[in-house]
Amino acid sequence: MKDQGRAISSVKKAIGACDAALDLLSQSSQAEDVPPPELAVIRQDFLSLLLLIYGSTTKLSLAMKPKAPTYSAALSPLKDISDHISALAHCTNMLLPEIHGATLVQEFNNVCIDVTKSVKSLLAIFDAPETRDLESGDEYLVKTGEIHHLIDKARSPSGDGLPVDNLSAVRKKWLEDSGPLDDGLKELNDMIEYGGEDAEDDEDDEWDELGVGSVKCADEKELERTKQVHTIIRLSTLLHKRILRDFLSPSPSSALPISDLDKLAPCSSALLSASDDLISSFYPPQDPSAIAAEFIIFQECLDRLKLSVDSLVDNQMLQAQFDALSITSNNPTPNLTKWYKTCFEQIQKTSQNLLQSLPVNSET
């Protein structure tokens, strides 16, 4: 019983360490007179601490398994967990947005917060063992597995792992959105290809069984609108791919200031969200008012993206690197300013034509 009491006390201390770590992460990092260590050093320390937490939580789960706990064996991993969680939060807090990049700092914060919360959830299972049903005590295995998954993902050498710098962090976000943007374009393709076809009777029955009624077919005007928005989404998806290639590849993107990268980072998810909502508004029967409302949001998203792109294409160092690549590869690269200006203009022109054709104040 003495070992059990000590173990429960250590569990509570470890939970307190998790709470303190989460409180620290909720505060903004402040620059100090002493410069922080190199980013590569901070990142390596962070990954090493994750590995230690992986091992400590594994040992804890083996020692505290509900049906046959060995409380004395849990004391050491519990102390280690408290120490490692505190050190992980401190390591994360050494990163400064103005020096290392806000997007990268957020990536570290997200991993640290997710791991800390998962560890706290595991500890909570062992906090009051007398109140749990020991016959269904497999929850601790699920929680341990969640911790392992988070740490394995962060330590992965692939694109899903912890970024090595701010450029990699921004690129990671844009790559994550690239596939869903392509899916949205395919969705519009399907609307156009099958939108005018009559639904089969048996298919209507299947929709009725789900309680949503039969699938409506697009009329001629609705199909024409869908074709117009397909052009807009195709161009915006192409724009997304070009930005990813031109500005977020390892070279020549190294010339980009951290502040420009951080302004660009949220533009991808905003474009994806606005595109998805706009595409959804084109399912028949179409509501012109809803389409117009979604277009306003979509256009605002593009306007913010254009501001970021304008700043990037005005970067003379970046343009010089593109020119150098063009000469050495004997493959002339189109002028950045001209290409992006033309792309935005085409999107704007097609959008205006579509909006002008919407009978917003009348029945469709």
Side-chain angles (χ1 to χ4, degrees):
M1 293 297 294
K2 182 179 179 181
D3 286 339
Q4 180 180 359
R6 293 174 61 196
I8 298 303
S9 177
S10 295
V11 167
K12 294 183 182 299
K13 288 181 181 178
I15 291 176
C18 290
D19 288 334
L22 293 172
D23 287 342
L24 179 63
L25 294 171
S26 67
Q27 304 169 13
S28 299
S29 301
Q30 299 294 327
E32 300 179 358
D33 294 336
V34 179
E38 293 291 332
L39 173 58
V41 175
I42 297 176
R43 183 175 182 273
Q44 185 56 54
D45 288 347
F46 187 92
L47 294 176
S48 297
L49 286 167
L50 287 180
L51 191 59
L52 292 172
I53 293 170
Y54 188 111
S56 296
T57 52
T58 302
K59 293 177 183 177
L60 176 64
S61 293
L62 292 173
M64 294 283 283
K65 54 186 177 182
K67 295 182 181 179
T70 307
Y71 294 111
S72 60
L75 298 176
S76 178
L78 281 168
K79 182 181 183 305
D80 290 340
I81 288 173
S82 296
D83 293 342
H84 300 331
I85 287 293
S86 299
L88 189 72
H90 176 70
C91 185
T92 305
N93 213 42
M94 295 177 70
L95 293 167
L96 303 173
E98 62 273 19
I99 296 177
H100 304 105
T103 310
L104 179 68
V105 171
Q106 189 60 53
E107 283 282 322
F108 273 76
N109 280 350
N110 289 343
V111 173
C112 190
I113 289 172
D114 288 345
V115 170
T116 301
K117 286 183 175 180
S118 292
V119 170
K120 183 181 176 181
S121 294
L122 174 64
L123 292 168
I125 295 175
F126 303 132
D127 188 17
E130 67 279 0
T131 64
R132 292 180 290 105
D133 181 6
L134 299 185
E135 295 302 319
S136 58
D138 289 340
E139 185 182 2
Y140 78 104
L141 295 175
V142 175
K143 295 298 183 182
T144 305
E146 290 176 357
I147 297 169
H148 289 177
H149 172 73
L150 289 171
I151 293 175
D152 285 338
K153 184 177 179 181
R155 289 179 54 82
S156 171
S158 67
D160 291 334
L162 194 68
V164 297
D165 54 25
N166 201 48
L167 170 61
S168 299
V170 177
R171 178 176 174 81
K172 177 182 178 182
K173 289 184 174 295
W174 277 68
L175 284 172
E176 289 172 349
D177 295 332
S178 183
L181 282 170
D182 288 336
D183 291 340
L185 192 58
K186 293 175 183 177
E187 188 176 348
L188 282 172
N189 281 329
D190 291 341
M191 285 190 204
I192 294 171
E193 184 175 355
Y194 304 111
E197 297 181 0
D198 293 331
E200 298 292 338
D201 291 339
D202 57 345
E203 291 180 352
D204 288 348
D205 293 340
E206 291 175 359
W207 284 105
D208 288 334
E209 290 175 2
L210 293 174
V212 295
S214 60
V215 179
K216 302 297 182 182
C217 297
D219 60 29
E220 185 175 343
K221 288 184 178 179
E222 290 175 334
L223 198 57
E224 182 59 32
R225 290 178 197 143
T226 306
K227 290 179 181 179
Q228 286 181 298
V229 80
H230 179 274
T231 299
I232 295 168
I233 298 299
R234 179 177 59 81
L235 287 173
S236 64
T237 302
L238 175 62
L239 176 66
H240 187 274
K241 293 181 183 298
R242 279 296 302 262
I243 292 172
L244 184 59
R245 188 191 75 181
D246 290 344
F247 303 117
L248 298 178
S249 57
S251 179
S253 307
S254 55
L256 295 179
I258 284 178
S259 59
D260 285 343
L261 283 171
D262 286 331
K263 290 176 184 176
L264 190 61
C267 291
S268 179
S269 57
L271 178 63
L272 175 59
S273 177
S275 297
D276 283 346
D277 291 341
L278 180 59
I279 291 169
S280 296
S281 70
F282 275 82
Y283 276 100
Q286 294 175 0
D287 179 353
S289 297
I291 292 176
E294 295 300 342
F295 248 113
I296 292 175
I297 299 174
F298 181 78
Q299 188 60 57
E300 290 173 349
C301 171
L302 282 178
D303 290 343
R304 291 193 297 270
L305 179 58
K306 185 176 184 301
L307 288 175
S308 293
V309 170
D310 287 345
S311 176
L312 295 174
V313 297
D314 287 342
N315 188 314
Q316 296 181 356
M317 184 181 300
L318 182 65
Q319 183 65 60
Q321 291 191 35
F322 271 104
D323 293 341
L325 286 174
S326 175
I327 294 173
T328 57
S329 64
N330 295 320
N331 183 22
T333 302
N335 181 273
L336 286 179
T337 303
K338 182 178 180 180
W339 191 94
Y340 284 102
K341 181 175 182 292
T342 302
C343 185
F344 279 112
E345 287 177 348
Q346 288 298 317
I347 295 174
Q348 181 67 22
K349 180 180 178 180
T350 309
S351 299
Q352 289 177 347
N353 291 338
L354 176 56
L355 287 173
Q356 289 172 0
S357 71
L358 289 173
V360 177
N361 297 320
S362 62
E363 299 265 337
T364 53

